[in-house]
Amino acid sequence: NFALAYTGLADSSLAMYAVSKDSFWEQRALGAAQQAQQLNDQLAEVHFALGSVYRVTGKGAESIAELDRALRLSPNSDEGYRRLGSAYLANGRMGEALKAYQKAIDLNPYYWANYNTQGNAYFNMGDNEKALNAYRKVTEIEPDNSIGYMNIGAVYFRQGKYEECIPSFQKALQLQPQADLYSNLGTAYFFLKRYEEAVGMFEKAVEMNSNDSDIMGNLADAYRWSGHADKAQSTYDKAIALAYKELQVNPRQAGAMSSLGVCYAKKGDTTQALQFVHRARSIDPSNIQFIYNEAEVRALSSQPAEALKPLREAFQKGYSSEEARNDPELKRLEGLPEFANLLKEFAHKTR
């Protein structure tokens, strides 16, 4: 009869779903949140839990409604505004997400997670300097937390500072080894064309988490560019299966759609590739990773001229032209004068 215990069970089950991508945990989270609501509908934590479950399952309007209700019950909750910001972010409402995250900081300027979620929003928008400032605040508040260093490294990588991002990732790994960190370090090696080292990092990442479609896709890339074609194809198939698994739980999971688009393009399935990357962009049109992914997909689909428009859009929003210059997936653009001019135009404009 203790409602808060069920809200805790719901949140823990969502954390398990984030790692395993097993729909069992999503269903368990929903059941626990609904049980909490039956026990006490007047607790803000009940509506926090329901709102988070709805966000993960792609029910954007329901998620925002539940979190709005939670904040009416507990108007000074920074956690509530953090969760509301994430709900807005999942629905492509970037401006409202930023306002919610700032409100969380205003309410509690001493909690690292408030700055981290704000930094994530800026990072998705392509505002690298504001993201970097937020992540640095995380390391000031919690110097022994790996997340701040990991995210600082991600910003440096986005800016094309591959050598500079490696120490940040290594510092984070010293504090807390985790799959995302090995994957990020592998990506840095990949763009430095140190493909065998990239393979080693991605294999460690998959050992720690074999349920993440992006990590699996990164390993496939490293296999492909290090000359292991058969391994690459079978690993792309695994990445595709994992992304579909996410879509079974949340049919509006734009990240999974974008991953599918890129993987299909690398396997040569142009039709599916374009369909999925367009669906991702329609859900979250301001996400610069999805914009850049469209440029990759079009380049891989023998549409080099059509790739230039999303590439320009990504650069205008803060994506690194240095990454594009070093991206082997854009090799088909190298002979175009327009591509060279675009790289030159944005060479020093990454925010």
Side-chain angles (χ1 to χ4, degrees):
N1 297 317
F2 185 33
L4 287 177
Y6 285 99
T7 66
L9 186 60
D11 288 341
S12 301
S13 297
L14 283 184
M16 287 297 295
Y17 171 72
V19 173
S20 70
K21 299 299 187 292
D22 189 331
S23 62
F24 164 80
W25 291 108
E26 167 266 323
Q27 294 165 10
R28 190 176 188 191
L30 178 60
Q34 290 173 335
Q35 180 65 21
Q37 186 178 30
Q38 290 177 15
L39 291 169
N40 190 343
D41 191 45
Q42 298 304 308
L43 283 177
E45 290 84 354
V46 167
H47 301 285
F48 290 163
L50 279 168
S52 294
V53 172
Y54 289 146
R55 172 180 59 80
V56 168
T57 53
K59 298 178 179 178
E62 293 93 330
S63 175
I64 291 168
E66 287 294 339
L67 292 164
D68 278 337
R69 182 171 181 189
L71 285 166
R72 288 196 296 273
L73 293 167
S74 183
N76 294 317
S77 170
D78 60 315
E79 180 183 357
Y81 280 102
R82 262 198 331 276
R83 296 197 192 207
L84 181 61
S86 296
Y88 282 137
L89 201 63
N91 285 274
R93 295 164 64 174
M94 193 67 70
E96 290 162 291
L98 286 172
K99 289 179 181 177
Y101 291 140
Q102 185 58 54
K103 181 68 174 178
I105 290 171
D106 292 343
L107 287 167
N108 187 354
Y110 305 106
Y111 185 40
W112 67 268
N114 292 334
Y115 295 96
N116 194 64
T117 50
Q118 183 191 56
N120 293 343
Y122 282 130
F123 186 78
N124 285 335
M125 289 175 61
D127 197 330
N128 295 314
E129 286 305 318
K130 287 184 178 179
L132 196 57
N133 289 336
Y135 294 145
R136 283 173 174 156
K137 192 70 177 178
V138 173
T139 63
E140 290 174 18
I141 294 172
E142 289 229 351
D144 294 328
N145 190 327
S146 66
I147 289 176
Y149 302 102
M150 178 176 72
N151 289 335
I152 286 172
V155 175
Y156 287 149
F157 176 87
R158 170 72 61 75
Q159 294 174 324
K161 300 174 181 177
Y162 305 125
E163 295 287 358
E164 290 179 53
C165 75
I166 289 173
S168 294
F169 292 146
Q170 290 174 332
K171 169 73 172 177
L173 277 170
Q174 290 171 3
L175 291 169
Q176 185 181 4
Q178 54 184 294
D180 285 346
L181 279 167
Y182 281 115
S183 184
N184 288 346
L185 189 54
T187 303
Y189 289 142
F190 182 89
F191 275 84
L192 289 168
K193 296 182 170 57
R194 294 157 61 177
Y195 296 127
E196 291 298 339
E197 290 174 272
V199 166
M201 292 298 103
F202 291 137
E203 285 179 338
K204 285 186 178 181
V206 168
E207 284 175 16
M208 295 187 75
N209 183 358
S210 60
N211 298 301
D212 189 298
S213 60
D214 288 330
I215 292 175
M216 194 67 72
N218 288 342
L219 177 58
D221 290 343
Y223 281 146
R224 177 162 143 257
W225 286 98
S226 59
H228 304 290
D230 291 342
K231 281 186 175 181
Q233 289 300 306
S234 62
T235 308
Y236 282 130
D237 288 338
K238 291 177 183 177
I240 288 169
L242 289 169
Y244 275 118
K245 189 176 177 182
E246 289 187 57
L247 291 177
Q248 288 175 357
V249 171
N250 180 359
R252 288 179 54 81
Q253 171 51 270
M257 292 177 192
S258 189
S259 294
L260 279 168
V262 172
C263 285
Y264 274 125
K266 291 170 182 175
K267 283 178 63 70
D269 190 335
T270 299
T271 302
Q272 294 251 61
L274 289 170
Q275 285 178 353
F276 276 109
V277 80
H278 286 162
R279 286 173 62 188
R281 289 207 57 192
S282 69
I283 291 172
D284 189 354
S286 63
N287 188 303
I288 65 169
Q289 187 62 57
F290 300 163
I291 300 170
Y292 184 80
N293 286 354
E294 182 186 350
E296 277 193 327
V297 166
R298 289 194 176 279
L300 289 162
S301 303
S302 299
Q303 299 179 5
E306 291 86 343
L308 294 173
K309 181 179 178 181
L311 196 57
R312 172 177 285 278
E313 185 180 353
F315 292 164
Q316 288 172 335
K317 292 180 179 292
Y319 210 93
S320 169
S321 62
E322 189 65 22
E323 180 171 337
R325 186 189 306 278
N326 289 280
D327 190 346
E329 310 300 354
L330 299 182
K331 283 184 73 68
R332 294 180 186 179
L333 305 184
E334 288 181 356
L336 296 177
E338 297 91 341
F339 180 57
N341 292 336
L342 197 58
L343 292 177
K344 184 177 180 180
E345 179 183 348
F346 287 93
H348 303 291
K349 295 184 180 180
T350 302
R351 287 187 288 170

